[in-house]
Amino acid sequence: PPHAAPPLMSASTSPPPASTSPVSAPAITAIPNGPQSTGDGLPIEADLAPLVADMRLLVEAAYPPGALEPYDAAWLTDHCLARYLRAREKSVPKAFKMLQETVAWRKSFGVAKLMTGSLDVVIKEGKTGKIVVHGWDKSGRAVIILRPKHQNTKAHDPQMQHLVYSLERVIMNMRKGQEKLVLLLDFAGYSLFNAPSFKTQKETLNILQNHYPERLGQSIMVDAPTLFWASFKMVKPFIDPVTVQKIKFFNSEKYKPGTVARKYMDENFNPSEMMKDYGGDIDYKYNVEEYMKERWIPFYCQGQMEDK
């Protein structure tokens, strides 16, 4: 059927009761290749195709055979190049510069190793469900939910690894014809004790804007408290004006009928594919063992698994 859920992720399946037993890295089970795992969207626009070809020539000149690891070379699809062009207003030089910066970042950060190696850090960071990939909107955009109240760590680097893992996973959860995501930030329980540092906020923004360009379709900020607005004012100058237009703020008001929140969620989400916490019908209870049960391997890493 249209917009069917990927085989290993069902938005309507509730996990078993939480377990207190230790969690180890899951068995390696690659999800099938296809639109759901590449997040490459629809065919590239006709006016962008010649520019993508120009970008491809620059890529081939800068990275001759053997210059990149196989997974980095596989990541450089035409759709990837197109996203960088859109992010830089179709300027080939600017888009290529941005792309080179991302190639260097992905290597230094170790994105492929993160997605194919040990997940101990991700499992530790994700124990409480502070970041969850779950559900889709009506247009098939996969949803990533951030819940600061479940913050369970302080170290910056592991938090960034967890974020990048989650971004790669939400891309794999995109439905056919989609290459954008919905970011839902739930501020319930937000406080000084769980608020991310300015460094973490700035780096999160940097990763989203500069290394995952043209991936954000909508950002939903729910129940943002007064405390948040002070930090938002500091971060806002670093946010691209186009991105600012994608941010929607509203109070949940328990998603009661007639409220702005309920109207927005009803217009943009099917209740059968959204948690009850956000006006949907799914009684979702996060459990790290269930959530990490299957191994999500990006298409560019297929066949590049680290020996276990």
Side-chain angles (χ1 to χ4, degrees):
H3 299 325
L8 300 183
M9 182 76 170
S10 172
S12 59
T13 302
S14 297
S19 169
T20 57
S21 60
V23 181
S24 57
I28 297 169
T29 306
I31 67 171
N33 284 323
Q36 288 89 351
S37 62
T38 63
D40 270 349
L42 297 171
I44 296 168
E45 309 92 298
D47 66 324
L48 208 57
L51 302 181
V52 170
D54 291 343
M55 282 276 283
R56 178 61 62 192
L57 291 175
L58 291 175
V59 167
E60 291 173 353
Y63 307 109
L68 295 174
E69 295 292 343
Y71 41 76
D72 287 329
W75 172 77
L76 289 165
T77 66
D78 284 352
H79 281 83
C80 174
L81 304 186
R83 283 189 289 274
Y84 281 79
L85 282 163
R86 294 189 200 105
R88 287 297 178 263
E89 299 179 333
K90 302 180 182 180
S91 167
V92 172
K94 291 180 180 179
F96 184 63
K97 180 177 183 294
M98 185 186 193
L99 181 71
Q100 285 185 300
E101 291 169 351
T102 295
V103 169
W105 171 81
R106 290 179 70 89
K107 182 177 181 179
S108 64
F109 191 93
V111 176
K113 184 176 181 180
L114 171 68
M115 299 308 295
T116 59
S118 170
L119 291 177
D120 289 347
V121 170
V122 174
I123 290 170
K124 180 181 177 181
E125 290 289 328
K127 187 176 181 180
T128 57
K130 60 190 177 187
I131 303 180
V132 180
V133 173
H134 186 279
W136 302 266
D137 71 359
K138 288 183 178 180
S139 61
R141 297 183 297 193
V143 182
I144 180 171
I145 302 171
L146 279 62
R147 305 183 290 185
K149 69 179 178 182
H150 293 304
Q151 182 59 264
N152 59 326
T153 63
K154 293 290 186 182
H156 172 81
D157 289 349
Q159 288 180 0
M160 292 300 97
Q161 291 181 53
H162 186 218
L163 171 70
V164 170
Y165 167 84
S166 300
L167 289 172
E168 293 288 326
R169 179 161 172 164
V170 76
I171 289 169
M172 286 185 276
N173 207 34
M174 292 174 180
R175 286 177 169 162
K176 186 175 182 179
Q178 266 299 344
E179 59 182 356
K180 293 184 181 292
L181 61 90
V182 174
L183 187 153
L184 193 160
L185 185 46
D186 178 4
F187 284 100
Y190 187 81
S191 70
L192 284 172
F193 297 102
N194 55 43
S197 66
F198 180 68
K199 176 183 178 181
T200 296
Q201 292 180 59
K202 190 176 178 181
E203 182 60 17
T204 296
L205 183 61
N206 172 55
I207 290 172
L208 284 168
Q209 286 192 158
N210 297 320
H211 302 312
Y212 290 87
E214 292 298 300
R215 285 299 194 184
L216 181 65
Q218 183 73 62
S219 179
I220 306 169
M221 307 289 190
V222 183
D223 293 333
T226 303
L227 176 63
F228 164 76
W229 290 106
S231 60
F232 184 70
K233 287 179 180 178
M234 290 191 294
V235 174
K236 190 175 180 180
F238 301 99
I239 305 177
D240 185 280
V242 176
T243 301
V244 172
Q245 298 303 312
K246 297 178 181 178
I247 303 175
K248 173 75 174 179
F249 289 93
F250 57 71
N251 294 324
S252 65
E253 299 182 89
K254 298 183 178 179
Y255 299 96
K256 294 178 181 178
T259 61
V260 171
R262 186 53 181 264
K263 182 180 180 182
Y264 179 86
M265 298 305 283
D266 286 347
E267 288 177 351
N268 292 279
F269 296 88
N270 292 313
S272 61
E273 294 183 331
M274 178 52 67
M275 300 180 192
K276 283 186 176 179
D277 291 349
Y278 308 109
D281 292 340
I282 303 173
D283 187 15
Y284 181 82
K285 304 296 181 185
Y286 179 82
N287 175 280
V288 68
E289 290 179 319
E290 179 68 17
Y291 186 74
M292 299 297 295
K293 181 174 65 176
E294 303 291 351
R295 189 68 185 250
W296 291 63
I297 307 299
F299 76 94
Y300 56 83
C301 289
Q302 299 288 343
Q304 306 294 330
M305 287 301 303
E306 182 180 287
D307 293 335
K308 302 299 288 182

